[in-house]
């Protein structure tokens, strides 16, 4: 998977989790879990981008 598709996937997954966190019809325990998961997905994507940038600069 190339970088463009990977980052599109990360953004789509984070938006999906963010939208699920705002739904009132789902279990409250799930709603409390989903928003931190969205931030975790975004954070992992950013760390991956940073890793790729450092690898490109140093390599």
């Amino acid at each position: 998977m190339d970088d463009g598709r990977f980052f599109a996937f990360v953004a789509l997954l984070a938006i999906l989790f963010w939208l699920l966190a705002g739904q009132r019809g789902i279990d409250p325990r799930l709603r409390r879990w989903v928003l931190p998961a969205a931030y975790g997905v975004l954070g992992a994507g950013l760390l991956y981008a940073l890793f790729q940038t450092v690898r490109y600069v140093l390599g």
Side-chain angles (χ1 to χ4, degrees):
M1 181 181 305
D2 62 347
D3 289 340
R5 287 185 184 199
F6 175 75
F7 291 120
F9 175 72
V10 166
L12 180 68
L13 195 59
I15 289 171
L16 176 66
F17 284 159
W18 179 68
L19 288 174
L20 277 175
Q23 295 296 317
R24 303 237 184 250
I26 63 173
D27 187 20
R29 290 177 295 175
L30 180 63
R31 285 179 58 200
R32 284 191 298 265
W33 174 84
V34 172
L35 193 57
Y39 289 130
V41 167
L42 283 176
L46 289 173
L47 286 176
Y48 177 74
L50 182 64
F51 170 74
Q52 291 289 37
T53 302
V54 169
R55 194 175 83 165
Y56 177 76
V57 169
L58 296 178

